[in-house]
Amino acid sequence: MSEILDVNALPYPYRFSPATTAIIMIDMQRDFLLGGGFGEVLGNDVSRLAPCVSVARELLEWGRQHGLYIVHTKEAHAADLSDCPLSKLNRGTPGMRIGDDGPMGRILIDGEVGSDFVEDLRPQEGEAVICKPGKGAFYATNLSGLLEARGITHLLFGGVTTEVCVQSTMREANDRGYECLLVEDATESYFPEFKQSVLEMIRAQGGIVGWTAPLSRLVLASETQGRHA
Ligand code: TIU
């Protein structure tokens, strides 16, 4: 017997069981959210991402309460850059590229201060951490294996940025057969119009990539339902 919940989502209700659902929290790292990191050296106003941090934290707390499997990803490379695709390595202004020195250590390098998670979103014991060299979290990682080992069929997404690593990962997941929902207020972009477009394109054409809903709809579903199948 497992609990089944129906979320009032777009483009139509999203049905899932917490027992077979994971939260994939994408790249909530200092490098994207704080000044002096990769996001800022790319020319972005990183303060735009701040509002999603508290919602992402609430999403994780809700997931922990309901027994969802939790995966945190970080976009971070080996110190010798051997895992960094040339397409990433060669982009950007020389001196401000991946692997270069910045105020929070070498930019986007695993183990540096900037590559770590922001304080409010630290993984807890038992939660998975995936270090990924690509924008999508399935590329060159063991994410598929972790999910398959637990019988996960449904994925709830939060994190940054909406149109880069979140969207890439959600599309990879959709192609692998996962039923995906993006938690609208637990994700953010440096570009508000890109975020809005991603939300709309995900749920267009009958949910071509998946569903979207704000966190409040997930919370409401778990407070008012709890049928068993
Ligand atoms: N630049 C940008 O918007 N994002 C990234 O480079 N990585 C992630 O989205 N994590």
Side-chain angles (χ1 to χ4, degrees):
M1 294 251 291
S2 59
E3 191 182 18
I4 301 283
L5 300 175
D6 283 309
V7 180
N8 182 8
L10 289 173
Y12 58 90
Y14 176 80
R15 172 168 288 195
F16 74 103
S17 166
T20 53
T21 302
I23 294 175
I24 311 289
M25 187 56 68
I26 303 280
D27 302 356
M28 293 300 261
Q29 299 160 253
R30 296 178 179 134
D31 258 324
F32 297 106
L33 290 149
L34 303 184
F38 186 56
E40 194 169 77
V41 301
L42 292 175
N44 299 302
D45 172 9
V46 294
S47 70
R48 283 217 76 263
L49 306 187
C52 78
V53 172
S54 59
V55 182
R57 185 184 166 126
E58 286 171 38
L59 171 60
L60 291 179
E61 284 169 359
W62 172 86
R64 287 166 186 145
Q65 274 171 19
H66 291 86
L68 276 72
Y69 182 51
I70 295 177
V71 180
H72 304 258
T73 72
K74 47 170 102 163
E75 182 179 352
H77 296 279
D80 64 2
L81 295 169
S82 56
D83 61 352
C84 188
L86 280 179
S87 55
K88 290 177 79 174
L89 210 47
N90 296 334
R91 303 267 171 90
T93 313
M96 296 161 74
R97 291 178 174 167
I98 296 172
D100 291 339
D101 282 317
M104 292 192 290
R106 291 179 66 203
I107 294 166
L108 235 56
I109 299 298
D110 193 27
E112 298 286 341
V113 171
S115 83
D116 202 359
F117 298 102
V118 292
E119 202 58 41
D120 280 351
L121 293 166
R122 295 205 167 283
Q124 291 192 358
E125 207 180 318
E127 298 175 356
V129 177
I130 299 257
C131 197
K132 63 185 179 63
K135 300 302 182 190
F138 286 85
Y139 169 68
T141 71
N142 65 343
L143 179 56
S144 283
L146 289 176
L147 299 177
E148 281 163 23
R150 287 161 182 80
I152 300 292
T153 55
H154 288 60
L155 302 176
L156 308 179
F157 285 90
V160 298
T161 63
T162 316
E163 79 281 10
V164 183
C165 291
V166 176
Q167 179 175 215
S168 288
T169 305
M170 200 165 164
R171 286 176 180 276
E172 286 181 325
N174 189 52
D175 283 348
R176 285 165 172 77
Y178 293 98
E179 304 284 7
C180 299
L181 180 140
L182 176 55
V183 181
E184 295 168 11
D185 41 357
T187 184
E188 197 46 83
S189 168
Y190 301 121
F191 305 90
E193 66 277 23
F194 289 174
K195 175 177 177 180
Q196 190 55 34
S197 296
V198 169
L199 295 179
E200 288 173 20
M201 69 175 74
I202 281 170
R203 61 198 184 210
Q205 306 180 72
I208 196 80
V209 182
W211 286 257
T212 79
L215 177 61
S216 60
R217 301 267 173 85
L218 285 169
V219 173
L220 186 67
S222 60
E223 283 176 354
T224 57
Q225 301 171 30
R227 287 175 288 117
H228 290 84

